[in-house]
């Protein structure tokens, strides 16, 4: 139940069981390295300070930004083996803690993501990315399989 996303060489698919919908798009055409390089180049133009703090078996990096970006800073913690352990984004704008209360103190939101128990040797079932479990395509028309009967398919592919 919930939202399940899969991608193979042909499709990117999001199945939402609560909304009974299937969104079908083109597989991402960029390599992860390309996207990281673009983000890195744009992001570094706005950095005003870069800090590094050793923490025993890991290192925490902090990038503080000029006034332009939506966020004030990023903090990233990497283990000695190069794997990211944690990322935290500190946003610039403060919002009322209780929006309906005009006297409510304002706080700046932050997003913290922590990785643990990750594996570099993930093993997937042979049919894990098989779209024919979800829909079939005949002459460009997508039809849900019996398991997804009643689901609405939205086709946003540019390459059909």
């Amino acid at each position: 139940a919930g939202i399940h996303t899969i991608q193979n060489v042909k499709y990117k698919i999001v199945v939402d069981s609560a909304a009974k919908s299937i969104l079908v798009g083109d597989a991402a055409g960029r390599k992860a390295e390309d996207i990281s390089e673009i983000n890195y180049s744009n992001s570094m133009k706005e950095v005003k300070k870069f800090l590094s703090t050793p923490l025993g078996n890991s290192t925490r990096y902090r990038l503080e930004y000029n006034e332009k970006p939506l966020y004030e800073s990023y903090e990233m913690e990497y283990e000695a083996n190069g794997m990211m352990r944690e990322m935290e984004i500190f946003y610039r704008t403060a919002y009322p803690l209780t929006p309906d209360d005009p006297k409510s103190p304002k706080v700046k939101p932050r997003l913290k993501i922590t990785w643990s128990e990750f594996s570099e040797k993930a093993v997937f079932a042979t049919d894990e990315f098989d779209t024919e479990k979800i829909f079939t395509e005949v002459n460009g028309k997508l039809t849900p399989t019996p398991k997804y009967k009643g689901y609405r398919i939205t086709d946003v592919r540019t390459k059909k």
Side-chain angles (χ1 to χ4, degrees):
I3 297 175
H4 184 72
T5 303
I6 66 167
Q7 180 171 316
N8 60 21
V9 295
K10 189 171 181 182
Y11 304 106
K12 181 173 185 177
I13 304 160
V14 180
V15 178
D16 184 341
S17 60
K20 292 199 174 279
S21 70
I22 302 169
L23 178 69
V24 180
D26 297 318
R30 291 181 176 242
K31 295 183 211 141
E33 305 87 51
D34 295 341
I35 295 169
S36 298
E37 191 174 304
I38 291 167
N39 289 342
Y40 177 79
S41 297
N42 288 334
S43 181
M44 291 310 287
K45 291 176 187 173
E46 300 299 331
V47 172
K48 68 179 180 182
K49 190 186 285 184
F50 177 82
L51 304 166
S52 172
T53 307
L55 301 170
N57 290 335
S58 65
T59 304
R60 189 174 250 329
Y61 299 97
R62 180 178 174 90
L63 290 102
E64 295 181 0
Y65 289 91
N66 296 323
E67 298 300 317
K68 191 175 177 183
L70 174 67
Y71 33 82
E72 279 185 354
S73 63
Y74 273 112
E75 289 187 6
M76 297 150 290
E77 185 176 335
Y78 288 89
E79 294 180 352
N81 65 5
M83 297 297 280
M84 185 182 286
R85 176 185 293 170
E86 193 173 277
M87 179 177 75
E88 197 163 2
I89 303 170
F90 296 85
Y91 290 88
R92 185 172 306 285
T93 306
Y95 298 94
L97 192 57
T98 309
D100 299 334
D101 179 3
K103 295 180 182 178
S104 176
K106 291 188 172 188
V107 294
K108 293 181 179 181
R110 65 184 181 156
L111 171 67
K112 185 175 189 176
I113 301 168
T114 303
W115 288 270
S116 63
E117 300 179 32
F118 45 82
S119 171
E120 295 180 55
K121 297 176 181 159
V123 178
F124 299 102
T126 55
D127 66 346
E128 181 79 20
F129 302 102
D130 181 7
T131 58
E132 290 188 3
K133 296 186 309 185
I134 302 168
F135 62 84
T136 57
E137 180 178 3
V138 178
N139 296 327
K141 182 174 177 359
L142 305 176
T143 305
T145 61
K147 180 179 177 182
Y148 293 96
K149 183 179 179 185
Y151 278 60
R152 180 185 76 252
I153 293 183
T154 304
D155 187 354
V156 295
R157 294 176 296 159
T158 56
K159 305 174 233 171
K160 295 182 186 179

